[in-house]
Amino acid sequence: MCGIVGYIGPKDAQAVLMVGLEKLEYRGYDSAGIATLHRGELGVRKREGKLRRLADLLDNQPLSGRIGIGHTRWATHGEPSDANAHPHTDADEHLAIVHNGVIENYLQLRDELETAGHVFRSDTDSEVLAHLISDYLDDGLPPERALLSTYSRLDGYFALAVISESFPETIYAIRQGPPLVIGLGEGENFLASDTNALLRFTKRVVFVEDGQVVALTADGARIIDREGRPVERTERTISLGEQQLDKGDYPHFMLKEIYEQPDIIENVFLTRVSNHRDIAFQNLRLSPQQLNKVSRVVIQAAGTSWHAGLIGKYLLEQFVRLHVEVDVSSEFRYRNPVLGGDTLVMAISQSGETADTLAGIREAKSKFIKVLSLVNVEGSTIDRESDAVVHLHAGPEIGVASTKAYTAEVVALILLTTIWGRLKYVIDDEGVRRLLTELEAVPAKLRRILALDGQIRELAKQFYESPVFFFIGRGYNYPTALEGALKLKEISYIHATGYPAGELKHGPIALIEKDTPVVALTTQGPTYQKTLSNVAEVRARGGRIICIATEGDEEITKVADHVIHIPACAEELSPLLTVVPLQLLSYHIAVLRGCDVDRPRNLAKSVTVE
Ligand code: AGP
């Protein structure tokens, strides 16, 4: 939800921190700030608004120093403002902290501190950290003890970094929940919320685990646990290149990522499938015997990943004949789910840091249930805490609205279903070959859909001022309808709702009036005629119908106001195709409405708060 960076070494800290914050701005962007130490003196600059405003401030009032911390914020407590922006300082402004997460007992701590005479400058929960650490230092505790004592007082989840005039050559940090990663250089070291902020400087990283405290100097990183015991650290090398974090000639990351989908699916197919029969998952870590024992799957995820989970339900029920339940993580984690020995919990997450999904994994593991995760960011917390993983290999997804990760999640589910269905003898070799041949043809079909971009942009011009939108579909098209609605609402701020097409007449159709736009997913399939009837019901009440239909279907033109024809494909793979016109429609509507497509208001790319 927020982005943290830290630097210590021979370079100008301000410059390094601003590069890091720019790469983390997708994590939260309602305010930003940095703090540095120069000749033993702390300096702080922070501003409400996008990172550009902080950069403007620093142009006029730069900070010197070779050690510093920075933060880009997604507000949890306290509105976006200069005062609530991080870094926060202690009373004497000798110490500064940046924080990602929520200090759940901050009110109690704040009362205690105010009673002791502390004066607070912000409405945030984070500010209590600066005062607490400072108090322990003033009591004479050495820095590590001051950090551990502060840590012992905190409830909630937090990644924090702190610098102080009393330890001018060290950045201290704590991880309890939101991610934190160390970047290792030569005579310099870095700290960040995720590896995107480090790529320009180093590919050598150490992922900080929960319950660890870091002391970072220019010469190295010392890690201790909550009891102060040294912890062995595992160094890894990042495979990503910084150019993958660039939007190139595209106006927005989201459009670039929409257009990347054919290549990504092609690459996954080429690297995972051979002879239209064999499928390789390097880290599945579930033996055929373990997979065979499973008779029930519970899929838990959030947002777009939850929609992919719904597609997974249809696939696993159809091709593996398993009992499948799909739940949003924020519900799953609190309902004390019934999980038996035959159950496998599956988590789906692009970021691998979604707090609710991570908590769902921990809930399952507390009941000794195996967890298989489909995750894009390798080395993320979900990646590291799951028993088995399928990496999506979609590359970094920077646009807050998930697109390529969603189709990569569906591809992973299709491949997993194929392996599993074959293992359970629900599908035979011919069935496997059919599915894989269909999947191999998807990238070319996607490129033909992307060629409709101009037509979709023209369509957007007719609808971008609509205050409401409905998306309807049946079967595999139902989760796609939900996904289309989410895309539109999160980047254009239009009230968009997705419904099972058969559900409209049970209430929602009361909302249809003249010119209400309804996007209907009417690709050829077993429920095509039923969906057409639902379209007719909407049209009879004045709704304006946009149909996503199969090439060659002319009947649809009799009931629709607008038709986007897409290539035919097997029904079970259709979510890979039908979602793309909806992604493009949402994108163009948002652009026409002047919205910040890559950084929509109120949102952040990785939801690491609950
Ligand atoms: C999708 O466009 C949204 N940004 C959001 O719903 C997202 O899918 C959700 O927060 C889950 O994120 P994850 O896949 O990283 O766990």
Side-chain angles (χ1 to χ4, degrees), residues 302-305 348-352 354 357 400-402 409 483 486-487 490 604-605 607:
T304 287
S305 294
I348 304 177
S349 177
Q350 186 289 127
S351 63
T354 299
T357 307
V400 166
S402 191
E409 287 165 351
E483 175 59 11
L486 176 61
K487 286 286 96 43
E490 68 176 324
K605 183 60 182 173
V607 184

